[in-house]
Amino acid sequence: MNLIYMDHGATTPVDVEVFEKMKPYFCEMFGNPSSVYSLGQKSKHAIEEARNNIANLLNASSDEIYFTSGGTEANNQAIISYMLANRHKGNHFITSMIEHPAVLETCKYLEKNGFEITLLPVDQYGLVSKAELKNAIKNSTSLVSIMHSNNEIGTIQPIRELVEIAHEAGSAFHTDAVQSMGKILVDVKELGVDLLSASSHKLYGPKGIGCLYIKKKTKIEKFIHGGSQERNLRSGTENVSGIVGFGEAARLAKLNLKSRNDKINNLTKQLQDTIIDNIPDTFVTGHPDCKLPGVLSLCFKYIEGESIILMLDAKGIMASSGSACTSGALEPSHVLRAIGLPHEIAHGSLRLTLGKDNTEKEIKFVANTLIEIVNKLREMSPLFLRGGE
Amino acid sequence: MYSEKVLDHFMNPRNSGNLEKANGIGEVGNATCGDIMHIKINVEGNIVKDAKFKTFGCAAAIATSSIITEMVKGKTIEEAKQITNKSVAKELDGLPAAKMHCSNLAADALNKAIEDYLKR
């Protein structure tokens, strides 16, 4: 059975070129970057080359990029460290209801420690309203964090405009760009953000490595205490091979952004059109235009998402329902609930996220398989009969 | 996550569909909670001759519906009443803890079908 991977929102395979670039840093050039001898300095040089590639992709300066263990740590560091370092400015933090758990759980931690949190609602497309942000912001708001694009429905937020509102009120702005970086243009200068989180494994790099962009002169506390790595902000011996892989993935993403997206957009449209034309009582969630390439988030009435995923898996197709992080939960996705979907509709969600290596043949197979599966599950569903009455 | 038996009953559900000659109907769950089960039985001379189900829910919900319709066929009403959600889960070689509460409603649906039959 051929395996068809359609869950690039969860993670991506490491690109062969990326892997080749990483290999020497395991067994040959394994030196500790803090060591002064040449083996260590080779590692240090490789880290700085990767930092440059990442800075180049984000239009940042390389000394504004700090490596972390991934997007979750970057989000934790950005929010907690900023709020702690700037407590004198105020203890109010604003974010949205559709953020990744890496942000929402961080909010709970802050709240337990005396900070005030506001969660902004979103509209039916998952967009944060500028007016809602304006109303929520106050003198004590020191940080606003709104994700660049949503991991479940793909909606891209108007970050530049939201940043302007925050800055006018004297608040700093962080964005979780884990899903966006490497898939669409993310330019920190154009966006005007003060802090930005990203992760390597969403752009064909290895897992366990991410970064935090911190604009120069942004005051932030040290997050991991120990040695003086990462300019004394994040201690710990560097994950050299991971950093090298992340850097190479960033370089390739910048080089191939347009060609990858042209192909992915074309395939996504074919898949969406075939599904919508052939499966009644089905609709697409997320913004129709401001959306990440390759994200197709669907709801099938009268059936349940986990059942669809397991039947797809039996045919060799890998997808997810809502967020991969919450697929073991019984509650429907908080994102789908936030855009106003009732429980019974949100239960029937499916997220297909396409990548650079998917093919037209795969798209046809997935669409046809999905038609069969939805029909089979609807035949078993008591709700389907009710819907037809 | 799921036992082979759960996956087998999910992928190849037994007795799904409508039962024209049903004389006991049980419905449990709600769409907000997540799982809905309808179990229909046909009882002749105190013996459950046939059982069918329709279920909206996850793999565990479909598998428990499928296996309970297998378990109940041929049993007397008194024997059928002894089937519990726990015995259904055991028959499937277990269910994940997170799924026990929501997905294993099958015995509840069967008991409602039996009650419905007895009231007729």
Side-chain angles (χ1 to χ4, degrees), chain A residues 99-224:
Chain A
E99 300 293 315
H100 189 274
V103 170
L104 293 177
E105 291 299 313
T106 303
C107 288
K108 288 180 190 167
Y109 172 79
L110 285 179
E111 205 162 27
K112 270 199 298 191
N113 284 279
F115 290 93
E116 186 193 352
I117 312 294
T118 298
L119 297 181
L120 297 177
V122 292
D123 69 10
Q124 60 180 318
Y125 302 116
L127 285 175
V128 171
S129 144
K130 286 169 266 177
E132 291 272 6
L133 177 59
K134 262 186 192 165
N135 286 338
I137 217 158
K138 47 191 181 181
N139 288 337
S140 60
T141 310
S142 59
L143 182 65
V144 176
S145 176
I146 306 292
M147 68 199 325
H148 191 273
S149 64
N150 183 266
N151 49 312
E152 293 187 39
I153 57 175
T155 298
I156 301 167
Q157 301 292 341
I159 296 295
R160 170 78 223 174
E161 295 165 41
L162 297 171
V163 167
E164 279 171 12
I165 294 167
H167 282 176
E168 273 170 26
S171 308
F173 199 100
H174 163 255
T175 190
D176 170 0
V178 165
Q179 283 293 336
S180 300
M181 184 183 161
K183 293 178 188 155
I184 50 173
L185 187 67
V186 177
D187 181 324
V188 291
K189 289 196 175 69
E190 197 178 297
L191 295 171
V193 293
D194 304 287
L195 300 147
L196 178 145
S197 307
S199 182
S200 153
H201 75 108
K202 308 288 188 183
L203 54 137
Y204 306 96
K207 295 169 185 58
I209 184 73
C211 74
L212 177 60
Y213 157 80
I214 306 175
K215 190 162 78 180
K216 277 173 197 158
K217 294 183 182 169
T218 304
K219 198 176 161 199
I220 190 163
E221 274 200 7
K222 184 170 181 162
F223 192 63
I224 293 183

Side-chain angles (χ1 to χ4, degrees), chain A residues 35-315:
Chain A
S35 303
V36 292
Y37 46 77
S38 58
L39 192 66
Q41 289 306 297
K42 278 181 184 167
S43 292
K44 190 170 177 59
H45 177 76
I47 288 173
E48 295 316 313
E49 188 185 314
R51 203 187 304 273
N52 278 335
N53 284 336
I54 291 159
N56 195 22
L57 179 61
L58 293 172
N59 192 24
S61 300
S62 60
D63 58 359
E64 293 172 313
I65 303 297
Y66 295 80
F67 289 111
T68 67
S69 65
T72 295
E73 186 189 310
N75 280 326
N76 272 256
Q77 182 174 8
I79 297 166
I80 296 170
S81 297
Y82 187 88
M83 292 303 288
L84 287 175
N86 296 277
R87 202 160 196 171
H88 61 284
K89 282 168 64 181
N91 73 337
H92 182 221
F93 172 68
I94 298 176
T95 188
S96 83
M97 291 171 76
I98 62 164
E99 300 293 315
H100 189 274
V103 170
L104 293 177
E105 291 299 313
T106 303
C107 288
K108 288 180 190 167
Y109 172 79
L110 285 179
E111 205 162 27
K112 270 199 298 191
N113 284 279
F115 290 93
E116 186 193 352
I117 312 294
T118 298
L119 297 181
L120 297 177
V122 292
D123 69 10
Q124 60 180 318
Y125 302 116
L127 285 175
V128 171
S129 144
K130 286 169 266 177
E132 291 272 6
L133 177 59
K134 262 186 192 165
N135 286 338
I137 217 158
K138 47 191 181 181
N139 288 337
S140 60
T141 310
S142 59
L143 182 65
V144 176
S145 176
I146 306 292
M147 68 199 325
H148 191 273
S149 64
N150 183 266
N151 49 312
E152 293 187 39
I153 57 175
T155 298
I156 301 167
Q157 301 292 341
I159 296 295
R160 170 78 223 174
E161 295 165 41
L162 297 171
V163 167
E164 279 171 12
I165 294 167
H167 282 176
E168 273 170 26
S171 308
F173 199 100
H174 163 255
T175 190
D176 170 0
V178 165
Q179 283 293 336
S180 300
M181 184 183 161
K183 293 178 188 155
I184 50 173
L185 187 67
V186 177
D187 181 324
V188 291
K189 289 196 175 69
E190 197 178 297
L191 295 171
V193 293
D194 304 287
L195 300 147
L196 178 145
S197 307
S199 182
S200 153
H201 75 108
K202 308 288 188 183
L203 54 137
Y204 306 96
K207 295 169 185 58
I209 184 73
C211 74
L212 177 60
Y213 157 80
I214 306 175
K215 190 162 78 180
K216 277 173 197 158
K217 294 183 182 169
T218 304
K219 198 176 161 199
I220 190 163
E221 274 200 7
K222 184 170 181 162
F223 192 63
I224 293 183
H225 302 262
S228 57
Q229 291 90 348
E230 292 303 288
R231 295 185 293 290
N232 207 25
L233 205 66
R234 198 270 187 187
S235 300
T237 301
E238 296 89 337
N239 171 5
V240 181
S241 58
I243 289 170
V244 167
F246 187 11
E248 183 65 1
R251 189 186 71 80
L252 291 170
K254 175 147 185 154
L255 196 67
N256 301 314
L257 198 67
K258 190 181 179 308
S259 59
R260 281 181 187 177
N261 283 348
D262 286 348
K263 180 189 168 187
I264 289 171
N265 282 327
N266 184 30
L267 291 178
T268 310
K269 187 179 182 313
Q270 279 182 49
L271 184 58
Q272 178 173 323
D273 289 349
T274 313
I275 291 169
I276 296 298
D277 290 349
N278 290 283
I279 309 179
D281 295 320
T282 300
F283 58 92
V284 177
T285 56
H287 197 282
D289 306 314
C290 301
K291 188 189 261 192
L292 278 181
V295 177
L296 182 53
S297 174
L298 299 150
C299 280
F300 300 97
K301 286 186 181 176
Y302 318 125
I303 56 174
E304 201 269 345
E306 187 204 72
S307 295
I308 305 171
I309 288 165
L310 288 173
M311 286 197 174
L312 283 171
D313 184 45
K315 298 279 186 183

Side-chain angles (χ1 to χ4, degrees), chain B residues 29-49:
Chain B
N30 62 66
T32 302
C33 158
D35 294 337
I36 301 173
M37 290 181 195
H38 290 190
I39 289 184
K40 292 185 177 181
I41 52 172
N42 172 247
V43 185
E44 289 174 25
N46 203 41
I47 303 286
V48 180
K49 289 285 183 190

Side-chain angles (χ1 to χ4, degrees), chain A residues 14-52:
Chain A
V14 174
D15 194 286
V16 175
E17 280 183 68
V18 169
F19 185 50
E20 287 301 321
K21 184 95 180 179
M22 290 170 70
K23 273 183 187 172
Y25 294 92
F26 288 99
C27 302
E28 296 162 40
M29 291 188 276
F30 58 86
N32 188 323
S34 299
S35 303
V36 292
Y37 46 77
S38 58
L39 192 66
Q41 289 306 297
K42 278 181 184 167
S43 292
K44 190 170 177 59
H45 177 76
I47 288 173
E48 295 316 313
E49 188 185 314
R51 203 187 304 273
N52 278 335

